[in-house]
């Protein structure tokens, strides 16, 4: 946006120009008293985005200055709306107290940018989704290595992880992380994530990056935390520097960086994630997703960690089994499971509370969250330890839960039972914790009692029973006596006559003046002391090394009980995981579709066997019969199994899948000039170039977006490649029924179809996968179900019958499934064509509908037709 020249600006506006120049791309929230005000183009953009009034304040260069503002107390809500609309916001606060007195300096109060609010640097609950990570990612190309270093940080929880990946693995990683903001050079293509690119940053060189990373975490060398490539170190250091700048030099509490090996995670590219609706639907909603269907967690931290498990299934059978062991342990312990749910339900989000406290944005509720979490942890540990046969994952988590008992006792003693929303509201520190604070509060809150006691003391001393101590607006606290009694005390040296009237005289004393000043200042002194005590508590909280482990342990145990709750009904199973290429699902269901069904409806389960000797399933059948659901539920079963979660099936045996490709429901990408067919071919190329023997591929209707013969040829070639070249496990759904004939030449191809019945002229989709091949597509029937007008449907039926008749009557047949012989063809004797009446009769016959007697009659009629035709044709 265009910024006018600062020449001729007033002192206040000169300050605005200077602060705006620090982050010119961001809207500037300029603190003016109880409001954040925006000026010039910032105001115009914010007013439009927030739907608030745009006005003007003063002039600059002879032009009115556009202005709008939002109240400070409501700022988080407005910030959330601006961030969702893609804006970045710099916040300038008053860093100087208002000046008082005659000698106070003139000019605007000092202001500084204390924070840059960007999509990847959010900490407030109002700006975040409780059950979802909010990641800042940084990508750096390693010169000469041909790889990318990636680091991702969630400053709201302290998560800090890195990876070194080949360039072609970037989109897979970004699809898994779904970062809110991405730092990288302009020459790194981000594809569908391009809108999340932050303004360019200059990466730190490798040597300086390693040194800076180590210094950040108080280590002599970065090697103390693991093995990091130069790219990972550069990405991590660059992200840390960006966070420091966005937080005005502060760095939130971060966990030690953890390097990741991408081979430990199931490969899922963005197209597959979009196809399967793992965490969000294509519309950005989080309902009707796999995560929503399996989530039974009761805490925000547990929900967030479960989302990480769903987004990144594992490929190491030992880790998968450990997760399965953890929730299987609770299956036959319903009382323990319920106790854990009840105990974990009030567990607050420790990680995000720590994040806010470490940045100086913590409020009393964050300290209270730590107190509650520690109490919850101790209770949960007691529940677990009362049980038997505790699995390894649960035991490791439980070992952390009672490591901060001293901090728990301190917070229980220091914090009030009922805490205000803001520190400024007071009442955070409990009575009896600090004598000095108690004294200031006593003076602030007990001033009436103190004045009453002093009044009685003076009345007794002066012998004036009707003496009063009153507060006067100009004089402060004064002794007031009737005029008749004032003569008795006028000569006392300790009394100062302040005012006399016809009915009363008012006096002050040094003691009363001092008390007046103390009462006036008591509230401020109490607030100052309370802030200091709260700051000490925050430092003690941040110094407790066990808190991140406790937060993680509570989240893990929440997932354990969630999985047991899900599987406790008996309709979900524990998958048998192996390191071979076994693949067998028994009575598998689609968890999202099943969850969306009415209570009285029943989902039709289907089994799937992709064992090595039948690893490619060719699936035919009409639209609406359930092919897409079957494809997706098979893919989702793999994700659930390898995430270590219950599987929506009666039984499951799955050999580890290294990469999963799902192409179900392609669509146009018109923004980049790509048709449905182009998108389909691009995604098909990705599968053919990346899938291998341990992969699973589920694809639907390859070749549908072009001419029939082109599409059939492409589908045929792709199916052959999956079977014989890639040798992957695959489900290949198609409307090209001719492909079923490939079963004769492809030994591991298993034809299946969706069961369909006709009953009294109506088509019944049974949603059941059975061996065999579809005899027809039933497209006209589906058109009727979709509401196409009946005359159009009838006309389509007549046209279809005619086209099918012509197709069957055409000669010679298209030699699609004949082997290609490069040798010269041998001369063949020309065969006479069949008579037209014979062809017509054969075309109209349906062998499956003929009884034995009817078939014999038809054979006699055919022989008679052939005999009569031959006599007619012979000369």
């Amino acid at each position: 946006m265009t910024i006018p020249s600062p020449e001729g600006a007033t002192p206040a506006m000169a300050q605005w120009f200077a602060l705006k120049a620090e982050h010119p791309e961001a809207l500037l929230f300029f603190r003016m008293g109880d409001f954040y005000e925006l000026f010039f183009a910032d105001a115009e953009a914010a007013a439009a985005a927030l739907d608030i009034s745009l006005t003007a304040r003063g002039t600059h260069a002879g032009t009115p200055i556009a202005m709008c503002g939002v109240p400070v107390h409501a700022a988080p809500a407005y910030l959330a709306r601006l961030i969702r609309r893609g804006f970045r916001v710099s916040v300038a606060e008053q860093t100087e107290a208002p000046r008082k007195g005659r000698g106070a300096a003139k000019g605007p109060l000092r202001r500084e940018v204390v924070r840059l609010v960007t999509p990847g640097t959010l900490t407030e609950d109002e700006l975040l989704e409780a059950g979802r990570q909010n990641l800042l990612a940084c990508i750096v190309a390693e010169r000469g290595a041909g790889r990318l270093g990636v680091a991702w940080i969630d400053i709201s929880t302290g998560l800090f992880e890195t990876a070194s990946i080949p360039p072609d693995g970037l989109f897979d990683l970004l699809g898994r992380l779904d970062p809110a903001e991405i730092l990288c050079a302009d020459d790194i293509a981000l594809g569908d994530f391009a809108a999340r690119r932050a303004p360019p940053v200059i990466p730190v060189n490798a040597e300086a990056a390693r040194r800076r990373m180590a210094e950040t975490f108080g280590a002599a060398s970065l090697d103390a935390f693991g093995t990091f490539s130069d790219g990972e170190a550069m990405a991590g250091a660059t992200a840390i520097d960006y966070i420091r700048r966005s937080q005005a030099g502060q760095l939130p509490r971060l966990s030690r960086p953890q390097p990741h090996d991408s081979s430990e995670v199931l490969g899922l590219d963005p197209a597959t994630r979009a196809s399967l609706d793992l965490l969000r639907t294509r519309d950005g909603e989080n309902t009707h997703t796999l995560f929503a269907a399996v989530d039974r967690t009761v805490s925000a931290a547990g929900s967030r960690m479960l989302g990480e498990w769903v987004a990144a299934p594992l490929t190491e059978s030992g880790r998968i089994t450990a997760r399965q062991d953890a929730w299987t342990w609770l299956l036959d312990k319903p009382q323990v499971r319920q106790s854990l749910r009840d105990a974990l339900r009030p567990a607050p989000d420790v990680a995000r509370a720590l994040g806010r406290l470490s940045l100086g944005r913590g409020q009393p509720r964050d300290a209270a969250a730590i107190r509650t979490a520690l109490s919850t942890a101790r209770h949960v540990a007691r529940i677990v330890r009362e049980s038997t046969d505790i699995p390894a994952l649960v035991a490791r988590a439980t070992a952390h839960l009672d490591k901060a008992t001293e901090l728990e006792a301190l917070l229980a003693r220091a914090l009030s039972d009922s805490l205000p929303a803001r520190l400024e509201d007071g009442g955070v520190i409990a009575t009896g914790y600090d004598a000095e604070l108690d004294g200031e509060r006593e003076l602030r809150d007990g001033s009436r009692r103190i004045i009453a006691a002093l009044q009685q003391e003076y009345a007794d001393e002066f012998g004036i029973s009707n003496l009063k101590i009153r507060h006067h607006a100009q004089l402060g606290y004064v002794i007031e006596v009737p005029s008749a009694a004032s003569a008795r005390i006028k000569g006392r040296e300790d009394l100062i006559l302040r005012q006399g009237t016809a009915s009363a005289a008012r006096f002050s004393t040094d003691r009363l003046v001092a008390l007046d000043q103390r009462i006036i200042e008591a509230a401020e002194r109490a607030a100052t002391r309370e802030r200091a005590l709260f700051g000490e508590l925050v430092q003690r909280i941040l110094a407790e090394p066990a808190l991140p482990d406790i937060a993680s342990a509570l989240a893990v145990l929440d997932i354990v009980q969630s999985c047991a709750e899900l599987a406790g009904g008996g309709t979900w199973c524990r998958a048998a995981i192996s390191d071979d290429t076994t693949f067998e699902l028994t009575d598998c269901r689609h968890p999202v579709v099943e969850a969306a069904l009415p209570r009285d409806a029943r989902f039709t389960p289907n089994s799937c066997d992709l064992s090595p000797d039948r690893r490619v399933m060719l699936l035919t059948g009409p639209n609406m019969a359930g092919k897409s659901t079957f494809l997706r539920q098979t893919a989702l079963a793999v994700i659930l199994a390898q995430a270590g979660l219950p599987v929506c099936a009666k039984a499951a045996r799955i050999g580890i899948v290294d990469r999963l490709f799902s192409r179900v429901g392609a669509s146009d990408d018109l923004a980049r000039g790509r048709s449905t067919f182009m998108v389909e071919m691009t995604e098909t190329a990705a599968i053919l170039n990346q899938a291998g023997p341990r992969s699973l591929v589920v694809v639907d209707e390859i070749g549908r977006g072009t001419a029939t013969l082109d599409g059939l040829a492409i589908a045929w070639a792709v199916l052959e490649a999956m079977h014989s070249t890639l040798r992957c496990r695959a489900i290949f759904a198609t409307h090209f029924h001719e492909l079923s004939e490939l079963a004769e030449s492809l030994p591991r191809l298993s034809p299946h179809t969706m069961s369909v019945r006709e009953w009294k002229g109506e088509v019944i989709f049974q949603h059941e996968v059975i061996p065999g091949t579809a005899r027809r597509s039933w497209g006209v029937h589906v058109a009727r179900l979709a509401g196409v007008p009946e005359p159009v449907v009838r006309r389509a039926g007549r046209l279809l019958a005619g086209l099918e008749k012509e197709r069957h009557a055409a000669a010679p047949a298209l030699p699609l499934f004949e082997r290609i012989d490069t040798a010269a063809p041998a001369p063949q004797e020309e065969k006479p064509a069949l008579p037209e009446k014979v062809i017509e009769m054969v075309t109209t016959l349906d062998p499956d509908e003929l009884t034995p007697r009817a078939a014999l009659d038809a054979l006699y009629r055919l022989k008679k037709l052939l005999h009569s035709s031959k006599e007619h044709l012979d000369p």
Side-chain angles (χ1 to χ4, degrees):
M1 56 188 67
T2 303
I3 302 175
S5 170
E7 294 182 7
T10 63
M13 291 310 300
Q15 194 179 61
W16 182 90
F17 279 112
L19 297 176
K20 176 67 178 176
E22 295 183 17
H23 302 284
E25 80 288 349
L27 303 179
L28 177 58
F29 268 33
F30 192 71
R31 180 72 177 265
M32 299 283 281
D34 293 332
F35 279 80
Y36 289 118
E37 297 188 354
L38 299 94
F39 300 100
F40 298 108
D42 285 6
E44 295 171 358
L50 299 174
D51 193 23
I52 58 178
S53 298
L54 180 67
T55 182
R57 172 181 287 181
T59 61
H60 179 72
T63 304
I65 300 174
M67 189 273 287
C68 69
V70 300
V72 170
H73 68 84
Y78 289 105
L79 280 173
R81 292 168 63 185
L82 289 172
I83 294 299
R84 282 197 295 268
R85 285 165 173 76
F87 291 99
R88 299 153 61 83
V89 180
S90 61
V91 181
E93 293 284 1
Q94 296 171 181
T95 55
E96 180 183 8
R99 306 178 188 112
K100 298 179 180 179
R102 294 182 180 179
K106 302 298 182 182
L109 298 174
R110 185 171 61 251
R111 292 177 175 84
E112 296 176 5
V113 173
V114 299
R115 183 184 177 197
L116 178 65
V117 186
T118 70
T121 59
L122 306 178
T123 58
E124 291 85 354
D125 282 341
E126 298 89 342
L127 308 182
L128 294 166
E129 292 185 46
R132 182 179 174 82
Q133 289 182 317
N134 193 73
L135 297 177
L136 169 72
C138 182
I139 308 166
V140 175
E142 295 186 46
R143 293 182 179 178
R147 296 179 70 82
L148 299 174
V150 186
W152 54 97
I153 297 175
D154 185 344
I155 74 167
S156 71
T157 64
L159 175 81
F160 187 1
E161 298 177 347
T162 69
S164 177
I165 60 172
D168 61 6
L170 178 60
F171 292 158
D172 283 14
L173 181 61
L174 292 179
R176 170 164 73 90
L177 300 177
D178 193 19
E181 187 175 8
I182 303 173
L183 309 173
C184 66
D186 289 336
D187 59 352
I188 294 179
L190 297 180
D192 293 337
F193 297 91
R196 307 184 194 185
R197 188 192 298 268
V201 295
I202 300 175
V204 183
N205 68 64
E207 183 178 350
R210 290 183 177 276
R211 185 173 60 253
R212 196 170 304 179
M213 287 266 283
E215 292 172 352
T216 297
F217 295 96
S221 169
L222 184 57
D223 296 336
F225 310 125
T227 302
F228 297 84
S229 68
D230 284 348
E232 288 175 278
M234 293 163 66
T238 302
I240 287 175
D241 286 352
Y242 180 81
I243 292 170
R244 275 202 177 99
R245 288 196 301 273
S246 73
Q247 306 302 313
Q250 295 188 81
L251 190 65
R253 176 173 180 160
L254 299 178
S255 62
R256 293 180 173 184
Q258 181 178 354
H260 271 261
D261 183 354
S262 58
S263 65
E264 297 175 352
V265 176
L266 173 65
L268 297 166
D269 59 19
T272 296
R273 293 180 184 275
S275 168
L276 298 177
D277 297 332
L278 301 184
L279 301 181
R280 290 183 181 274
T281 65
R282 296 190 183 189
D283 298 329
E285 300 296 326
N286 51 21
T287 55
H288 304 305
T289 62
L290 177 63
F291 172 76
V294 302
D295 183 21
R296 302 294 186 274
T297 59
V298 294
S299 70
S303 176
R304 193 164 56 243
M305 182 177 284
L306 178 62
E308 295 174 36
W309 287 18
V310 171
L314 304 173
T315 55
E316 185 183 335
S317 58
R319 294 175 63 193
I320 297 170
T321 302
R323 291 179 178 181
Q324 294 175 323
D325 289 344
W327 58 262
T328 305
W329 164 70
L330 281 178
L331 282 181
D332 61 349
K333 297 178 175 61
Q335 292 183 341
V336 177
R337 185 168 74 237
Q338 188 59 49
S339 295
L340 274 178
R341 284 182 67 82
D342 294 341
L344 288 166
R345 200 177 300 278
D349 200 334
V350 176
R352 285 191 167 164
L354 283 173
R356 286 187 291 271
L357 290 169
S358 66
L359 285 168
R361 293 193 201 105
Q363 293 294 343
R365 64 181 180 182
D366 296 312
I370 305 301
R371 178 181 62 183
T372 303
L374 294 177
S375 175
T376 298
R378 191 163 38 81
H379 185 197
V380 168
R382 187 168 58 253
I383 293 172
V384 172
R385 288 168 183 159
E386 288 174 353
S387 187
T388 58
D389 305 322
I390 302 174
L393 182 62
V394 175
R396 287 197 301 271
T398 307
H400 296 290
L401 294 181
D402 49 12
K403 288 185 175 181
T405 53
E406 292 184 8
L407 177 59
E408 181 189 358
L410 173 64
L411 295 178
R413 189 162 38 90
L415 295 175
S416 298
D417 293 334
S418 179
L419 292 172
R422 301 184 305 161
L423 181 60
E424 293 79 10
D425 295 335
V428 176
I429 303 299
T431 301
Y433 176 73
D434 182 76
E436 182 181 341
L437 176 60
D438 290 346
E440 297 296 350
R441 285 175 172 172
E442 178 70 15
L443 184 60
R444 180 197 65 192
D445 302 333
S447 59
R448 290 186 180 181
R449 181 177 53 78
I450 294 172
I451 292 297
L454 186 58
Q455 176 179 293
Q456 186 61 47
E457 180 181 336
Y458 279 139
D460 293 342
E461 180 181 349
F462 300 151
I464 304 173
S465 60
N466 53 357
L467 177 147
K468 303 293 184 185
I469 295 180
R470 302 184 185 280
H471 188 270
H472 191 276
Q474 284 76 37
L475 304 178
Y477 283 101
V478 293
I479 298 171
E480 183 177 290
V481 298
S483 296
S486 64
R488 283 188 250 168
I489 59 175
K490 274 185 179 179
R492 294 179 63 101
E493 293 182 0
D494 56 342
L495 293 177
I496 304 169
L497 179 64
R498 302 297 304 275
Q499 190 178 58
T501 67
S503 60
R506 298 187 176 103
F507 301 86
S508 66
T509 67
D510 292 341
R511 184 180 178 187
L512 203 54
V513 170
L515 178 61
D516 185 23
Q517 187 64 27
R518 286 184 61 201
I519 291 173
I520 292 172
E521 296 175 354
E524 185 176 341
R525 286 196 304 272
T528 301
R529 181 61 181 166
E530 191 162 45
R531 282 195 298 271
L533 293 171
F534 184 74
E536 293 174 4
L537 290 177
V538 169
Q539 292 306 311
R540 177 64 183 85
I541 289 170
L542 296 178
E544 177 53 66
L547 284 177
D549 291 333
I550 291 172
S552 178
L554 290 174
V556 168
L557 292 173
D558 193 10
I559 294 178
V560 169
Q561 70 78 23
S562 171
C563 291
E565 187 75 10
L566 181 66
T571 60
W572 295 61
C573 74
R574 170 177 173 161
I577 299 295
S578 62
D579 290 318
D580 53 22
T581 55
T582 301
F583 196 100
E584 186 176 356
L585 302 174
T586 304
D587 290 345
C588 185
R589 310 182 308 281
H590 193 304
V592 182
V593 175
E594 184 177 57
L597 289 175
R599 290 189 176 183
D600 57 346
R602 178 181 174 273
F603 188 95
T604 302
N606 278 296
S607 298
C608 178
D609 185 358
L610 300 179
S611 301
D613 59 344
R614 48 190 299 145
R615 61 177 175 245
V616 179
M617 176 187 290
L618 181 68
L619 182 62
T620 56
N623 291 319
M624 293 184 65
K627 294 197 305 296
S628 296
T629 299
F630 178 73
L631 292 172
R632 288 192 175 103
Q633 74 187 37
T634 304
L636 293 179
V638 171
I639 289 173
L640 290 173
Q642 294 191 202
L645 305 176
V647 177
C648 194
K650 182 178 180 180
R653 296 173 59 243
I654 296 176
I656 293 290
V657 175
D658 63 352
R659 294 188 64 86
L660 170 61
F661 297 92
S662 172
R663 297 297 185 268
V664 184
S667 59
D668 291 330
D669 188 359
L670 300 180
R672 285 187 277 176
R674 302 195 304 173
S675 66
T676 299
F677 182 65
M678 185 61 183
V679 170
E680 179 187 302
M681 289 298 98
T682 301
E683 295 179 350
T684 301
I687 295 172
L688 296 176
N689 288 322
Q690 298 178 64
R694 295 179 63 84
S695 302
L696 172 66
V697 178
V698 295
V699 291
D700 187 19
E701 298 185 47
I702 283 182
R704 62 185 165 178
T706 186
T708 302
L709 293 184
D710 282 348
L712 177 57
I714 291 170
W716 180 9
V718 170
L719 182 59
E720 282 186 335
M722 288 182 180
H723 178 279
S724 304
T725 305
L726 302 179
R727 292 174 294 131
C728 58
R729 291 162 284 186
I731 305 177
F732 193 100
T734 184
H735 280 110
F736 296 126
H737 301 159
E738 299 90 337
L739 294 178
S740 299
E741 298 181 32
L742 284 174
E744 299 178 4
S745 58
L746 302 180
R748 293 173 179 81
L749 182 68
S750 173
H752 283 70
T753 188
M754 304 304 300
S755 178
V756 180
R757 294 281 182 89
E758 279 191 276
W759 177 256
K760 296 182 178 180
E762 296 293 326
V763 177
I764 301 173
F765 298 130
Q766 297 184 303
H767 306 294
E768 183 181 358
V769 178
I770 59 174
T773 305
R775 292 178 296 153
R776 54 191 296 189
S777 293
W778 306 96
V780 173
H781 298 272
V782 173
R784 176 178 285 112
L785 291 175
V788 174
E790 190 59 32
V792 177
V793 172
R794 288 196 298 269
R795 172 61 175 161
R798 291 193 296 271
L799 291 172
L800 176 63
L803 291 171
E804 288 179 339
K805 181 177 179 180
E806 292 179 9
R807 179 178 179 181
H808 288 295
L814 192 64
L816 278 176
F817 297 98
E818 296 177 0
R819 290 189 175 274
I820 299 174
D821 192 349
T822 55
Q828 295 182 355
E829 181 180 351
E830 184 176 351
K831 296 179 181 179
L834 289 172
E836 183 176 346
K837 289 184 178 181
V838 173
I839 294 174
E840 183 177 352
M841 180 177 175
V842 172
T843 302
T844 58
L845 288 175
D846 187 349
D848 291 334
E849 299 293 333
L850 294 177
T851 64
R853 179 57 185 262
L856 185 62
D857 290 343
L859 184 60
Y860 280 125
R861 290 200 304 274
L862 282 171
K863 184 174 182 179
K864 183 177 180 180
L865 280 172
L866 282 171
H867 181 72
S868 62
S869 298
K870 182 178 180 181
E871 289 180 350
H872 178 74
L873 291 173
D874 285 341

